[in-house]
Amino acid sequence: ASDHAIEVNSHVVSEYCDYPWYAESVCTRDARIKSILRDEQVRSFASQAACGRERGQWCGLQDLHADFSSVAAEFAAALGPELDGEVDVYFCGHPLVWCRLFERFRHTPSILGVWDMPHNFAVPLLMQQRWTADFLTLFGPEKSRNLLIAQCAFHSLQVQWLLGRRVPYYQPLGIRSALSGRYRPENSDSVLLSVFHTPYDVEALSRTAA
């Protein structure tokens, strides 16, 4: 058992927050974060129908990312006094450009980035080359406290193909299991493994305790 208390806070901003269970489980309830990350704009302008053919899908996100340095500065000004130096690990992804959110803090947390979409997802075209360079630095060898992982084997190969980097991948769990499930092995030195793309069977699920 750990000697340190671990607190996990989820602050998802997503159109999926329209679903009650998702909203109550992982979506942010902090009005400051909703405002800074333009929650209403992101959710209202996600489809091509809302954005129009010329702007294309996810135009709300692209508008937000067009000046993300200002977003990071606003985040630091609003939440820095209470969070600077208090956050150990920042879990980010979809979009990965949000991994920049803590860049204006004096004490930046370690970053765990999850690749389930290419790093340039919803990044305006004119910013993509610069962001790619910054992204490679953010998860480069000189930033040993940060880690990029892929959602599956395909995404791991995608990172290698696009950026020439080898990254590990993980086996995702259903969201309810990921948030509330705990693995308690019968033997303290045993590890439960699942073959990639093989559904979890009844016996495996029975060994996951709430």
Side-chain angles (χ1 to χ4, degrees):
S2 173
D3 294 330
H4 304 282
I6 299 175
E7 181 179 346
V8 178
N9 293 295
S10 178
H11 291 283
V12 170
V13 172
S14 168
E15 71 275 15
Y16 290 111
C17 294
D18 290 333
Y19 297 99
W21 185 89
Y22 199 89
E24 294 169 7
S25 302
V26 298
C27 296
T28 186
R29 300 181 184 181
D30 192 314
R32 297 167 300 174
I33 295 177
K34 288 184 177 183
S35 175
I36 294 166
L37 293 177
R38 317 293 190 265
D39 175 68
E40 185 174 348
Q41 170 187 315
V42 168
R43 293 167 66 178
S44 299
F45 294 93
S47 68
Q48 184 166 325
C51 293
R53 183 179 298 178
E54 206 170 294
R55 299 182 71 198
Q57 193 176 13
W58 305 115
C59 62
L61 267 178
Q62 292 192 55
D63 290 345
L64 175 68
H65 298 161
D67 187 14
F68 205 75
S69 294
S70 295
V71 174
E74 187 179 352
F75 183 78
L79 287 95
E82 64 185 84
L83 294 182
D84 203 340
E86 297 297 320
V87 179
D88 297 307
V89 180
Y90 171 44
F91 178 95
C92 52
H94 199 91
L96 280 161
V97 72
W98 286 15
C99 292
R100 295 180 52 197
L101 199 57
F102 281 83
E103 67 182 17
R104 295 297 186 92
F105 278 48
R106 289 175 55 245
H107 305 93
T108 57
S110 298
I111 298 173
L112 178 60
V114 177
W115 179 297
D116 68 339
M117 291 283 283
H119 66 294
N120 278 328
F121 167 63
V123 174
L125 184 61
L126 294 177
M127 298 176 58
Q128 291 184 7
Q129 186 172 355
R130 172 62 186 273
W131 165 234
T132 295
D134 291 344
F135 182 80
L136 289 171
T137 299
L138 185 65
F139 293 105
E142 63 276 15
K143 298 283 188 178
S144 59
R145 295 172 62 239
N146 300 339
L147 176 65
L148 178 67
I149 57 174
Q151 192 180 49
C152 64
F154 167 79
H155 288 124
S156 180
L157 291 171
Q158 188 180 56
V159 177
Q160 185 177 355
W161 178 64
L162 289 174
L163 301 176
R165 294 279 179 87
R166 293 177 177 271
V167 300
Y169 66 88
Y170 67 97
Q171 174 69 55
L173 288 170
I175 189 167
R176 290 178 186 266
S177 298
L179 289 174
S180 61
R182 296 293 182 272
Y183 173 53
R184 296 176 181 172
E186 295 175 359
N187 301 309
S188 59
D189 60 349
S190 66
V191 177
L192 174 65
L193 298 177
S194 175
V195 178
F196 183 64
H197 278 166
T198 298
Y200 293 98
D201 58 20
V202 176
E203 182 180 353
L205 288 173
S206 70
R207 297 173 67 180
T208 303

